Structure formats: C-alpha cells, structure tokens
C-alpha cells in the first residue's frame, strides 16, 4: 500500500473563500476543519433564519451571515458554495448557487435520487461550473490507499467486501432522519458510505439485493444491501439508525485481505495481509477529515475544471442509481419524487 | 454476560471410552484433546485401511486399531463412536455404529442434507441411542455465554448478525473439498459455522437468500447467505475456500452489541457494549475446544439420554434445511442425492 503521504497535503492546496448554505451539524464540522487544515476560509453562511446564520457565524468567526440562501449565493466574494442542508433541498440549493455562478460542493448523499443528480450535473455542465458530491471519505489518504491497492491487484481478485455504518441515533421522530419529506432514513445518510466504498472498489454491480426495515412513516431504519459483481464477487453494505455497529470494512481477495479497523469511512488504521504471510500497516497520520475534499475542490476550481476524478459526476450518479434500486426494493419513496 | 466458569468443566464429566471412525485431520484433533482435557479416552480407531488406523493409533496412544468400520463398532469396550469421515459417509458410518448399539457423535456438518439427518435421528430414536452433531463451537463457554446473553436480552432486539468463515485452502482439486462426490464445497465445511451461529441466536429464518460461486466441478467455493427473521432482523453468513476472512462475528441489537474478536467459532475473547456505555469482556480461559462437546456426550450418555439440548436433533435438522435451501439456490447438488 502507498503511504499516506503519497497523496497531496490539503495544506498545500490553493485558497478558496467558501460560503455555507444551511448551518447544521455537518456544516459545523466543515466550518471547524477547513480554516484549521487548509489555506481556505469560510467567509459567509446563509440560512432561512438570519438569527441562526448569525449564531453560526459568531461560533466560527465567519465574517458575513445572511438570512436567505439567495443573498449568500449573490455574495461576490464567495468563491465556492458548500450545500449542507437536508438531502431533500440539495438540488434546489445547489441549483441556486450554480445559477448564481458559484461552484458547488454538495453534501452526500448528493440528491434524493439519480434523476436529481443528473439534473444537478447538467446544470453545472451548462454553466461550465465545478460540482462535486461531498463524499469526504473518498478523499481520505487511507481510503485512497486502499482503493489504489485493490486496483493495483495487491490482494488479487476481490471476492468479498463488507462494510457497515450503524449508529444508535436516539433522537425522536421529529428529526429529519425520521421524516420522509426530508428524504430521511438510513440510506442517504448512512448506507451511502458502505455503498460508495464498494462502488469505489468495484464499480457498478450486476445485481442489487436489498433487505431492510421501515419505520411507521416509511423511512428505512436500516438495511443490508448485497451487491453482486459477476459470478464470484459479493459486497455487503449494512447500515442502521438504531444500533451502533462495529463499522469496520474488510476486503478479501484471492491473494490476501485488507482490514479497515473501525469506522472505515473516517481516518483509521488499515492493515493489509497476504496469504503468503506479508503484511503492511497504514497508521492514521492526520486529524480532521473534511479538509481533503475541500482541498480537492480548491485544486480543481483553480485549474478551471468542472469535476474531480476522485468523485466524478458519473460515480455520484452510479451510487445514486444503486440507492434508487435498493429503495425501490425496500419500498421507500420520498414525497414528491 | 455470564463468566466462562458458569458452564460445567469438561474435566468433571463422566469418562467414556471412544472409538473413532475414519482417521483424518479432524479425528487427529479429537484424539489429541479428549484425553488431555477430559476423563475420557480414545480406545480404538477404525479405517478401511488397517495401516492408516495403526499409524493413527500409534500417534495417539490408542490401544486398538481396526482395518474395517464394522470391527470397530463391534468392539464391546467402545462406549461411543465419533464419526469423522467426509460428509458423504456420515449417514452410513453413523448408522453402522447405531445398529451395533453405539451412541454417536457425528462430525459437522451432520449429513449431506436434511433428509439424511432425519434418517440418522430416526435410527437413533428407534434404537434408543444417543446421537449428536459434533458442532463443537456451540459447546464452547464463550459461545454459550454469547447465546445466553442474547436470549437474556442483553443487547435488546437483535437487528443484525454477521459472521464469516473464510480460509485460504491451497490444496488442489484432488482434495475432498473440491469433490462433489464427497459432498465438498464451502457450505458443509465452512458456511455451517456462521449459519449454525445465526441459528443458535435466532432460530429458523423466514427467508434464505444465497449468493455464491461454483467451481468447475460444481462445488461452491464460497457464498454469502442472507437470513431474514421477520421484518427487522438480518443475519449474514459468509464463507470461502479461497480467501482468509477476518472470521469475526458481531451481533448488533437495539441496546448494544457483542463482538467476537476473531475466528468466532474457536475460543476467542468476547466484548459486549451497550448503548448506555456499559461494557463487558469475556477473556478466553481454556485451551483446546473439542473437550466441551465430548464432555456433553459423556454427561448425556451417562444420564441415559438420547440427545443434548445444546445441539438438539431439531437444531441439526433445521441447520441442514437452511443449507439445503442455500445449496438449491446456488445449484449445488451432490451425486446420488
């Protein structure tokens, strides 16, 4: 496996002036990590609730707070917009930013479904603007090292991939995750991680088999999704809103195995062992995590590109298609889809 | 979780004089561990090949070696017979022993299919003789503690069970595991462990979905079997003859999780953690492993019983039925079935 420092340092990326649309938990983490680990800064935040925007701005030393999304995207000193709303509003807010001429980084899952993802990227293409899904794990050095090692054949032919993302989320039915109108459920928030991991390793499966449970309001509280690639390879993605899983990932191949020790989608130690007795460990070498995706945006935008090969438009659409299929099998439909 | 010493010590069980039918790798381990960790002894071994029986007897200080199975089961000083042949001969050899009036412990998987399992137990019932599948893991203290903890509700409602048994077995197509005529393949040798684990925890599933790969000769080289219990609970059993998996098991429930650290079906450390922050570790407290099942046979035979509740006839038949269904979905048929 390549060492973590084989991948570019986020601190070396060009600086961007970020605007955040919709201050919430995930925006909080972005606002904390980007100024700390990159040359970029968050210069504005927009919310439908000005008081909320102002409180968020005060917490994170952000110069400007807006009481509407339109005001934020009109701010001429915002180089790029990070969309951090619930999934149900991703397309609308990203479209607002793109129409105003701003490149966008859109929190994962990108949209509610693949049709919305295509609409978002079509708009970016028509404007010649950068757009990317904020699937931050894909940009982490250990994650890239694992994907590169597998693609380089380090463990031979991949036979099984397993990955979980189970969280014991105790908040009640008033939370967005329990609300179908806000595209709640485990799929777009949690299952997207193991699914995107399998996709990064193996691409588009030949078959999808989803087994899951629905809440009374019809959101998926958790699922096991089996992806089949050809005759020999199976990936199993599991997630739950109700239980804290081990959240490890393992890739087993004909020549060896790679284990991601815990919470595989965050910075963790990776171990590779081959059947001939060789082994390799990749320790965690950094804090944070969101800086890697933000640095990638800064590099691509500076280069005048509209997408990143690390999370391409096609990859985002393919993962959304996977989730569309899994949701269809589970019977999860969001109002207005 | 109960401590390991909550379960009876194999050294305290009554003594049995064992005869072994078919000396091979698994018989070797039995012959090594039983005299070392219990009051029982192996007094005879039988093979179609007298030289092989004699060599095995010499290796393990076994007094008598026979060049036929019939001679062994006729030995009046054999209290119980351990059937350790390939799966394809389990029914035949167990029937020979039962017909001669000997209680039997039959290596897992019990038989090739559920019909054979029923035939075996019907014969034991008609003779009033003890019979049990040698699913040795079910008798290990850590395994019993886990099953008891789950049944006691220690982690609430079980939502997911995952367990693997992947081995990188490099021997070639002449080996029994690659031979359909000897009931080869991953299912009866490896997958039976995670399937029996799920069964011990959750019983008979409502649905079975098997995804696997077949060799050129038509044995399964590995599979992922999804078991559904009601709407909310999923167990995933994975196995492979081609790759060394992590072989861990995890049970995630609404109140917490139990992790079996590695090779869950052997003596390993167990960790229980609950969502309210409590945690409990059960360290490994013994060597060997086969002594627990052998001690259980000795206790039940001494008590005049024909089965053990720890691996009941019904449980064995139910697991065989699971494997029949999974094999049917994979298209694995053994010649003569």
């Amino acid at each position: 496996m390549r060492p973590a420092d084989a991948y570019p340092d986020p601190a070396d990326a060009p600086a961007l002036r970020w605007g955040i649309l919709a201050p919430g938990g995930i925006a909080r983490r972005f606002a904390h990590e980007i100024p700390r680990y990159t040359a970029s800064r968050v210069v504005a935040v927009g919310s439908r609730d000005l008081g909320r925007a102002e409180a968020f701005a005060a917490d994170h030393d952000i110069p400007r707070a807006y009481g509407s999304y339109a005001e934020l995207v009109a701010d001429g000193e915002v180089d790029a917009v990070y969309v951090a709303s619930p999934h149900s509003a991703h397309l609308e807010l990203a479209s607002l930013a793109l129409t105003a001429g701003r490149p966008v980084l859109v929190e994962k899952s990108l949209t509610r479904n693949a049709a919305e993802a295509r609409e978002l990227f079509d708009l970016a293409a028509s404007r010649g603007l950068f757009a990317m899904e904020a699937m931050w794990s894909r940009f982490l050095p250990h994650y890239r090292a694992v994907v590169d090692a597998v693609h380089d054949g380090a463990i031979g032919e991949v036979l099984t991939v397993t990955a979980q993302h189970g969280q014991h989320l105790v908040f009640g039915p008033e939370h967005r995750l329990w609300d179908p109108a806000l595209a709640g459920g485990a799929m777009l928030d949690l299952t997207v991680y193991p699914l995107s991991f399998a996709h990064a390793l193996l691409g588009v499966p030949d078959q999808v088999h989803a087994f899951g449970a629905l809440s009374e309001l019809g959101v998926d509280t958790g699922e096991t999704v089996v992806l089949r690639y050809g005759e020999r390879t199976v990936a199993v993605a599991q997630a739950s809103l109700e239980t804290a899983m081990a959240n490890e990932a393992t890739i087993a191949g004909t020549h060896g195995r790679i284990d991601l020790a815990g919470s595989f989608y965050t910075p963790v130690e990776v171990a590779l062992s081959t059947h001939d007795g060789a082994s390799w460990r990749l320790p965690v070498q950094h804090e944070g995590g969101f800086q890697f995706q933000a640095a990638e945006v800064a590099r691509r935008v500076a280069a005048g590109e509209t997408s990143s090969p690390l999370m391409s438009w096609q990859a985002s659409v393919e993962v959304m298609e996977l989730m569309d299929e899994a949701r269809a099998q589970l019977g999860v439909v969001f109002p207005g889809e």
Side-chain angles (χ1 to χ4, degrees), chain A:
Chain A
M1 254 184 299
R2 296 170 207 188
D5 60 11
Y7 304 97
D9 186 340
D12 298 337
L16 275 183
R17 294 171 300 181
W18 285 96
I20 292 176
L21 282 187
I26 200 84
R28 194 166 288 281
R29 187 166 162 201
F30 188 87
H32 177 76
E33 294 183 3
I34 272 48
R36 183 170 298 231
Y37 302 116
T38 74
S40 295
R41 297 292 172 263
V42 180
V43 298
V45 58
S47 171
R48 280 175 301 194
D49 177 339
L50 179 59
R52 207 167 163 219
E54 286 174 339
F56 187 93
D59 281 353
H60 299 282
D61 292 324
I62 297 170
R64 298 186 293 287
Y66 296 110
S68 76
Y69 301 134
E71 286 173 277
L72 182 127
V73 301
D75 183 332
E77 294 189 2
V78 165
D79 298 320
V81 168
Y82 172 54
V83 175
S85 68
H87 315 292
S88 50
H90 282 184
L91 174 61
E92 181 192 342
L93 299 194
S95 300
L96 193 70
L98 289 166
T99 303
R102 310 292 168 220
V104 290
L105 175 66
V106 183
E107 193 43 42
K108 35 95 330 243
S109 293
L110 184 72
T111 49
R112 296 187 301 177
N113 52 47
E116 287 190 355
R118 286 189 207 96
E119 190 177 334
L120 192 160
F121 291 131
D122 285 349
L123 179 59
S126 73
R127 303 278 170 152
L129 287 169
F130 181 88
M132 193 177 86
E133 182 177 9
M135 187 66 231
W136 64 287
S137 306
R138 286 216 189 196
F139 303 86
L140 298 172
H142 82 284
Y143 197 107
R144 293 182 66 179
V146 166
V147 172
D148 288 342
V150 168
H151 289 168
D152 290 348
I155 56 168
E157 180 195 4
V158 173
L159 297 176
T160 60
V161 173
T162 61
Q164 315 105 35
H165 192 188
Q167 306 283 355
H168 179 59
L169 301 176
V170 290
F171 33 76
E174 74 287 351
H175 191 276
R176 70 172 174 87
L177 280 175
W178 267 257
D179 188 347
L182 296 179
M187 189 72 73
L188 299 188
D189 253 73
L190 304 183
T191 321
V192 65
Y193 285 92
L195 288 176
S196 191
F197 183 64
H199 176 273
L201 294 165
L202 296 166
V204 178
D206 300 309
Q207 292 175 34
V208 177
H209 303 270
F211 310 96
L214 302 194
S215 73
E216 281 183 23
L217 292 176
V219 303
D220 51 314
T221 57
E223 51 258 340
T224 295
V225 185
V226 175
L227 310 175
R228 295 208 70 187
Y229 300 85
E231 292 293 313
R232 286 166 55 77
T233 302
V234 176
V236 180
Q238 292 189 293
S240 173
L241 300 175
E242 295 185 273
T243 184
M245 294 179 172
N247 293 343
E248 296 170 338
T250 295
I251 311 157
T254 49
H255 295 164
R257 193 172 83 233
I258 298 176
D259 295 310
L260 290 82
S263 296
F264 73 93
Y265 46 85
T266 67
V268 291
E269 182 173 288
V270 172
L272 185 154
S273 56
T274 62
H275 291 146
D276 58 15
S279 67
W280 212 99
R281 280 186 181 273
L282 184 65
V284 182
Q285 294 181 328
H286 60 87
E287 298 184 323
F290 278 26
Q291 67 268 32
F292 295 93
Q293 63 177 354
E296 175 69 3
V297 177
R299 280 184 215 106
R300 298 288 164 185
V301 168
E305 296 173 31
T306 57
S307 67
S308 164
L310 293 178
M311 190 71 226
S312 70
W313 294 0
Q314 183 181 337
S316 285
V317 169
E318 286 172 355
V319 173
M320 291 307 311
E321 285 172 340
L322 269 184
M323 294 197 287
D324 286 357
E325 172 61 28
R327 281 203 294 124
Q329 291 182 23
L330 297 176
V332 174
V333 182
F334 303 130
E337 271 194 308

